[in-house]
Amino acid sequence: MTGSARAALSFSRVSLWYGNVLGVSDISLRIERGVVGLLGMNGAGKSTMMKLASGMLRPSIGRVEVFGEMPQQSLEIRRRIGLCPDMDRFYERMSGLAWVTFMAKLAGVPAAKQRSAEVLERLNMKDRMHKKIGGYSKGMRQRTKLARALVVGADLLLLDEPLNGLDPLGRHEMIRLVQELGNEGKAVLVSSHVLHEVEAMTDRLLLLHQGRVLAEGKVHEIRDQLSERALQVEVRLKEPRALASQLIGADFVVGVDVAEDRLVARVADAGRFFREITERGCDPGLAIEAIVPLDADLESVFGYLVRK
Amino acid sequence: MAFFRCYPLIVAQTVRDVLSSKRTILFVFLALAFPAVAIFATIEAGDRERVDELYSGISLGVLFQGLVPIISMFFAVSTVREEISSRTLVYMITGPVPRTAIWLGKFTASVLVSWIVLGLGVALALVIMPRIGDQGFRAASITRATLLAPVLPALLAPVAYCAIGAAMAVRLKRAMVTGAIFVVGWEYVVGSTPAQAGVRSLTVVDSARSLLFHAVDPVAAEDFRSAMIVWASGGRRHMSESLIPSVHDAVVNLGILTAVALGLMLWFGLRRDYDSESDEE
């Protein structure tokens, strides 16, 4: 297999147990260049996936490969991986520059100190890189971790909850940086349990729940996978009872809830529903004012997938 | 080669980190207990007891049955354990750093720090003890052989203790407790069994005191040597010094204990998954 054909990261039917507890179950995936968001609730298995991808953990079953090789068996491959774990520990008495330089030297980076200073400068740490890590804010710590991953020239970046604890400005900076890294051609797997954070960084998603991949692809592709789900649509109108009587019994409508000035329909076939409702929209007796899909956003898609 | 690139970096960084820790200062003071006790007892006893006897006894009791195992085990266990429990290990094991370099680097650093800390105490004793006679506190000074007797065992014993401590720390979450049990239980109890039982060689302290026994001045510290032989035989008198391992046997024994411990350390350290979230026993 040629280098270009190799995925940056691939999981082949990977499962991992912590004793009797299932960490991840039968995961198969392939990640190429660019940013991919790993989305899941706390305890979904995101960090476990990161650890498997970095070679920190061995799968109980299956195979994890980074650029075609198993990370646990190859120092050269581990040189191409930059893990930013969700934990926040350092050698607190060292300065940011000294720590990143130490890590760069361990990886055999030439002119390690100069390179480390350059990377820290890129991450807006120029004024603080000589200060002890023990005095760093959460955002500075996140950037120091990222600097360690970048200084070794990693091609696969594994960012575990990189926005955790950052203030709005820090979040904005980190999101911009992740996007930049993806645009530079690096493979970036970034995890979060907050949907809008992931959406801000990428539209390519992996949805994880209870150790399983629920869905993967672009946001709209994931939505397309949900054609059979009951979508909730709110219709605001003057005569909700009249419309409800027309909808009840239709094979594309699962159920209807009626309020004073609105109606919420649970529809099995969103396409047919919208065609029908558009036609009825011309009926002045119904006086339809607005049609609002209630759960087409990613949050509810994810919620639906989890419940499925 | 990655090992030779990483190993010295890890050793140097770890030594710097441990020496800059406030806790290390406490252990420096603890190590100074050896010269303090030796000097105080020598002055206090005056000419009632031979200085070689006193110094030998204090070397055995305070240094080799107390400070050396405690300080060496502490530095080995804490150096390895803190890397694991503070989770900074994650950055190394997920990077291009061979685990052999990590664990051997931590072990070597703990040996160096133990030598530095214990060395301060021993060096102070070496400087001051000969002067006690010169300054008129006593009629006779300590002999050179007895004065230098603790040096070799103080160099070799920490290596073995650090290897054992590092092996425990790589595998066990509560390695500090296990290390304390090892020092107080195994080393003291097994090391005190009669030599005829043949299990003393499983302890570090037996080799350390054997080296001390052979290095002290045989005339000036004659009573100390006799007492050791009696003690080694479980209280039987008129036993020969063949009960005490020779210098060669003691050094080989320390080498074997160190090699086995390092082998176990690498066995556990190379195979174990170190999860950044769980730190299981």
Side-chain angles (χ1 to χ4, degrees), chain A residues 18 51 54 56 58 72 75 78 86-87 89-91 93-94 99 102-103 105-108 145 148, chain B residues 2 5-6 9 17 20 83 86-88 90-97 271 273-277:
Chain A
Y18 294 102
K51 289 168 193 166
S54 67
M56 199 165 122
R58 271 174 280 236
Q72 284 202 322
L75 288 179
R78 294 218 294 274
D86 58 341
M87 60 87 181
R89 303 296 180 91
F90 297 90
Y91 300 130
R93 288 192 289 269
M94 291 176 95
W99 185 74
F102 173 60
M103 289 294 162
K105 283 180 176 171
L106 284 176
K145 275 192 282 187
R148 175 254 174 192
Chain B
R5 180 185 70 239
C6 298
L9 286 168
D17 192 52
S20 65
E83 189 71 45
S86 74
R87 301 170 187 170
T88 46
V90 169
Y91 298 109
M92 285 199 268
I93 61 173
T94 60
V97 183
R271 280 159 184 76
D273 281 337
Y274 290 96
D275 191 333
S276 66
E277 284 177 2

Side-chain angles (χ1 to χ4, degrees), chain B residues 156 201 207 211 245-259:
Chain B
L156 297 184
S201 59
S207 298
L211 292 172
S246 67
V247 172
H248 173 268
D249 289 350
V251 171
V252 168
N253 193 47
L254 284 175
I256 292 170
L257 288 172
T258 304

Side-chain angles (χ1 to χ4, degrees), chain B residues 26-43 51-71 114-130 132 142-155 208 212 216 224:
Chain B
L26 290 176
F27 281 91
V28 169
F29 280 112
L30 186 63
L32 294 179
F34 168 59
V37 171
I39 292 161
F40 179 77
T42 305
I43 293 171
V51 65
D52 280 53
E53 305 286 6
L54 273 175
Y55 185 73
S56 302
I58 290 164
S59 296
L60 177 64
V62 176
L63 195 59
F64 294 108
Q65 295 188 157
L67 298 177
V68 169
I70 290 170
I71 289 174
S114 300
W115 279 348
I116 291 168
V117 171
L118 289 164
L120 286 171
V122 174
L124 204 63
L126 293 182
V127 170
I128 296 177
M129 285 300 292
I132 292 176
I142 190 169
T143 63
R144 184 176 169 79
T146 303
L147 182 67
L148 296 174
V151 173
L152 181 63
L155 281 172
L212 184 71
V216 295
F224 168 75

Side-chain angles (χ1 to χ4, degrees), chain A residues 129-179:
Chain A
M129 67 169 99
H130 297 287
K131 293 191 164 57
K132 285 186 179 176
I133 296 176
Y136 280 9
S137 66
K138 180 83 179 174
M140 288 153 73
R141 285 167 170 261
Q142 292 282 29
R143 275 177 277 170
T144 306
K145 275 192 282 187
L146 189 56
R148 175 254 174 192
L150 295 179
V151 78
V152 299
D155 297 310
L156 170 64
L157 292 162
L158 305 166
L159 313 182
D160 199 359
E161 305 270 2
L163 303 183
N164 254 6
L166 298 187
D167 58 26
L169 187 62
R171 280 168 184 263
H172 177 73
E173 277 182 21
M174 187 62 79
I175 288 167
R176 180 188 54 78
L177 193 67
V178 169
Q179 289 168 335

Side-chain angles (χ1 to χ4, degrees), chain B residues 50 52-53 56 143 145-146 212-226 241:
Chain B
R50 280 185 288 186
D52 280 53
E53 305 286 6
S56 302
T143 63
T146 303
L212 184 71
F213 173 87
H214 292 294
V216 295
D217 188 284
V219 177
E222 186 185 1
D223 290 348
F224 168 75
R225 285 166 56 93
S226 301
E241 77 174 63

Side-chain angles (χ1 to χ4, degrees), chain B residues 138-197:
Chain B
R138 305 182 61 106
S141 292
I142 190 169
T143 63
R144 184 176 169 79
T146 303
L147 182 67
L148 296 174
V151 173
L152 181 63
L155 281 172
L156 297 184
V159 180
Y161 281 122
C162 285
I164 293 166
M168 287 177 180
V170 162
R171 183 66 188 88
L172 302 173
K173 188 175 179 182
R174 303 193 191 288
M176 201 60 90
V177 175
T178 315
I181 292 169
F182 172 79
V183 170
V184 177
W186 183 263
E187 284 287 286
Y188 186 78
V189 174
V190 177
S192 302
T193 56
Q196 297 91 324

